[in-house]
Amino acid sequence: YLGAKLRKTRLANGVAAWSFSSSKYVQEAVSNVEKHLRKKNLPGLNRKVRGPWPTGYEAELDESRELEPEEASYYQSQIGILRWCVEIGRVDIITEVSTLASYSAMPREGHLDAVFHIFAHIKKKHNSRMIFDPTYPNIDMSNFKFYGDVKEAIPPNAPPPRGKEVVMRLFVDSSHADDKKTRRSRTGYFVFLNMAPVAWLSKKQATVETSVFGAEFVAMKLGMEHVRSLRYKLRMMGVAIDSPAYVF
């Protein structure tokens, strides 16, 4: 991925793995934001931030001044940059960026301040790496229940699998009625191949669910759709997948 530095690393258990870092891209993005702030005679990025989100801030309840067209355009461009930071491994800001991205059509001054807060956070913690650990996970089968002797439909035109099998896991959850204004919930999930994270998402749900069960069901549906498409894609690339996808 553009802006990510790929290299090999050796884990504590002796396993060799690939990893990538977004540090260089993040530092360049932060530098450009600081140039913008100096040009506008605005305060620089706060070095004392404790996390990616301003304490107690609720973006949906923000009633600050609407941004002028030029400011709104700048806001949208920075959201795009932060989204790419997430894409190349900065999953620690995924929910905050997703939340602010939903206000791109009519951003407010408070939303832009929250964007600057995220940049202050990644400036302080730019040196992160995502490691794609090929180690097989330990699956406690007592946590799972299988209904009947069911078989997964395998694409009839899939090539013969080659190489080692991969084990797929989905970690999925929702925050019920996360949005204080619309009461819409938020879906979040991670997909792992063996011990390597390969896909992640944080997204506001399209419906209003009246129960935690409903919100979690919607989240699992979205996660499972991704898993099904990924299993198909891997099989068509000749990757061996013999075990089910384990959902947590």
Side-chain angles (χ1 to χ4, degrees):
Y1 279 168
L2 291 174
K5 184 178 181 181
L6 187 69
R7 72 175 185 180
K8 281 188 175 181
T9 187
R10 191 163 293 278
L11 306 179
N13 59 5
V15 174
W18 286 101
S19 70
F20 70 13
S21 168
S22 59
S23 177
K24 187 175 180 181
Y25 182 86
V26 166
Q27 289 183 82
E28 186 66 26
V30 166
S31 176
N32 289 334
V33 169
E34 290 180 319
K35 289 177 184 176
H36 172 82
L37 292 173
R38 286 195 297 269
K39 183 179 177 181
K40 298 290 183 179
N41 294 317
L42 295 171
L45 297 176
N46 183 3
R47 295 188 178 187
K48 296 182 180 180
V49 297
R50 296 187 176 181
W53 200 241
T55 304
Y57 180 64
E58 295 175 330
E60 65 272 23
L61 302 181
D62 193 318
E63 295 183 352
S64 57
R65 175 183 65 86
E66 293 177 19
L67 297 182
E68 297 297 328
E70 182 182 349
E71 296 174 302
S73 178
Y74 178 77
Y75 176 89
Q76 293 161 358
S77 68
Q78 297 314 299
I79 288 294
I81 290 169
L82 288 172
R83 275 191 173 280
W84 188 247
C85 289
V86 171
E87 185 71 16
I88 57 178
R90 290 307 301 256
V91 294
D92 57 318
I93 60 173
I94 184 172
T95 300
E96 292 77 10
V97 173
S98 173
T99 300
L100 293 175
S102 64
Y103 300 100
S104 295
M106 196 184 75
R108 296 180 179 272
E109 193 171 36
H111 298 143
L112 183 57
D113 289 341
V115 164
F116 291 145
H117 190 100
I118 295 176
F119 274 108
H121 168 74
I122 61 177
K123 176 186 178 181
K124 186 178 178 181
K125 299 182 180 296
H126 67 87
N127 194 19
S128 65
R129 276 193 296 156
M130 180 172 281
I131 297 177
F132 303 101
D133 184 356
T135 307
Y136 286 101
N138 292 320
I139 305 292
D140 183 358
M141 298 304 294
S142 65
N143 291 327
F144 298 92
K145 183 175 180 64
F146 299 92
Y147 297 88
D149 185 23
V150 294
K151 299 291 184 183
E152 184 177 6
I154 307 299
N157 56 339
R162 297 176 179 270
K164 297 179 181 179
E165 178 199 0
V166 295
V167 176
M168 188 177 295
R169 293 178 298 160
L170 167 67
F171 293 83
V172 59
D173 204 355
S174 70
S175 57
H176 181 239
D178 180 75
D179 191 299
K180 300 292 190 302
K181 203 167 190 178
T182 64
R183 311 311 295 178
R184 283 159 64 181
S185 307
R186 177 169 291 275
T187 293
Y189 67 70
F190 281 88
V191 180
F192 283 75
L193 291 184
N194 294 351
M195 298 290 285
V198 295
W200 41 89
L201 178 81
S202 177
K203 185 178 182 179
K204 191 185 297 184
Q205 293 181 2
T207 55
V208 178
E209 298 300 323
T210 58
S211 66
V212 173
F213 171 81
E216 295 199 350
F217 195 89
V218 170
M220 183 173 295
K221 176 180 179 292
L222 202 63
M224 284 305 304
E225 287 173 348
H226 192 131
V227 163
R228 288 181 64 187
S229 65
L230 186 57
R231 288 173 77 86
Y232 175 84
K233 182 184 292 185
L234 290 170
R235 283 203 171 100
M236 297 308 286
M237 293 169 64
V239 177
I241 308 176
D242 297 326
S243 60
Y246 299 95
V247 181
F248 297 83

